[in-house]
Amino acid sequence: MEKLSPFEKEMVSVDKEVADMGLLCLKAVHNTMLAFKNQDIELAKKVVDGDKPIDVYYKEIEQKTLRIMLLDQPYASEFRNMGAALKMITDLERVGDYCVDIAEEVLAFPKEPYYPKTDKILQMFGCVESMVAKALKSYNDKDVESARSLSKDDDRVDALFLEEKKDLMDLLRSKESKYDDQTIVFMMVAKYLERIGDHAVNIGEWVDYSSTGTHSIS
């Protein structure tokens, strides 16, 4: 087996840390879904606390990547890979933040059962969890085709968001005014999930860029 140069070892290290950070974000999405579905206060608190390691990864990867780019003078393709990694960790960090936002809404919910229906939001959770998982796998496998397919996956999330938004607006216009607070919170949760889907698409676009040198602005 060919021995890696110190620079190549640093690049492998960055790849591993990005993948590890991604797994923490994927776990956060899954736990956030369970916390929301079951109104699990303790799990919601774990999601909030779990954002700290994600932020630590972000700062460490950012510093390491910038040092490699500035001091090691990588070739164009290697420089592109490092730039893509920097962009990807920004998207991953935002995924973690949106999970915290949703978890904090769970913590703010009254203990009474949900009045708005949860089916579409839970479908959105399932979609974005699958998208984040696919984005991470496409990064690990350098699978451009899989990365590009994320935009189609996001169409489903966007459609569900519009359906949920309409349902919630109809509910707000109804006579069930005592549930307005829950309805507004559901609207916010749906929007956070829609944004997580967007960030998964962004990750896929950076995988594409790192492999092909092209990047479509969504």
Side-chain angles (χ1 to χ4, degrees):
M1 184 176 180
E2 186 177 349
K3 187 177 180 181
L4 296 177
S5 67
F7 173 73
E8 289 171 328
K9 288 180 180 178
E10 286 185 310
M11 291 186 66
V12 169
S13 175
V14 168
D15 272 350
K16 183 181 184 306
E17 289 184 11
V18 171
D20 289 344
M21 179 183 178
L23 288 176
L24 287 181
C25 291
L26 183 59
K27 181 179 179 182
V29 174
H30 183 72
N31 285 342
T32 303
M33 175 176 64
L34 293 178
F36 175 84
K37 179 180 179 181
N38 301 319
Q39 292 182 274
D40 189 330
I41 300 300
E42 292 306 314
L43 189 55
K45 290 177 181 177
K46 288 182 181 180
V47 171
V48 174
D49 292 340
D51 193 49
K52 295 174 184 176
I54 292 174
D55 290 341
V56 169
Y57 264 116
Y58 175 82
K59 292 175 182 177
E60 289 180 350
I61 297 169
E62 180 184 51
Q63 291 173 0
K64 180 180 290 188
T65 304
L66 288 173
R67 181 178 58 78
I68 293 172
M69 294 171 72
L70 294 173
L71 299 181
D72 291 348
Q73 298 181 328
Y75 293 113
S77 61
E78 296 163 342
F79 190 91
R80 191 172 69 225
N81 290 341
M82 293 294 99
L86 271 176
K87 293 292 187 178
M88 287 173 60
I89 62 172
T90 300
D91 284 301
L92 286 171
E93 193 269 341
R94 291 302 298 141
V95 168
D97 286 346
Y98 283 123
C99 288
V100 169
D101 290 337
I102 295 172
E104 288 177 341
E105 295 298 345
V106 173
L107 294 173
F109 284 150
K111 292 183 179 180
E112 63 187 21
Y114 293 144
Y115 178 76
K117 295 180 180 179
T118 62
D119 54 335
K120 287 189 178 70
I121 285 186
L122 292 177
Q123 287 179 59
M124 289 182 72
F125 263 116
C127 288
V128 299
E129 182 177 2
S130 294
M131 287 178 68
V132 172
K134 180 189 279 191
L136 294 173
K137 190 173 189 304
S138 69
Y139 174 72
N140 292 333
D141 298 343
K142 311 303 179 189
D143 187 340
V144 173
E145 291 305 313
S146 179
R148 289 175 177 173
S149 72
L150 284 160
S151 60
K152 290 185 178 179
D153 297 338
D154 194 45
D155 291 342
R156 176 59 177 158
V157 176
D158 291 342
L160 284 167
F161 172 68
L162 292 177
E163 291 173 14
E164 179 68 0
K165 182 179 178 180
K166 181 183 181 302
D167 290 348
L168 293 172
M169 290 300 295
D170 288 344
L171 189 57
L172 283 172
R173 296 187 186 103
S174 73
K175 296 180 180 180
E176 302 292 345
S177 58
K178 65 179 180 178
Y179 296 107
D180 282 359
D181 288 345
Q182 280 194 16
T183 306
I184 291 169
V185 166
F186 270 51
M187 187 85 75
M188 294 171 64
V189 170
K191 185 59 181 177
Y192 294 147
L193 291 171
E194 189 265 343
R195 293 298 296 136
I196 290 175
D198 289 343
H199 285 292
V201 171
N202 289 348
I203 293 169
E205 290 176 351
W206 290 117
V207 171
D208 190 350
Y209 171 75
S210 68
S211 299
T212 67
T214 60
H215 179 251
S216 60
I217 300 175
S218 57

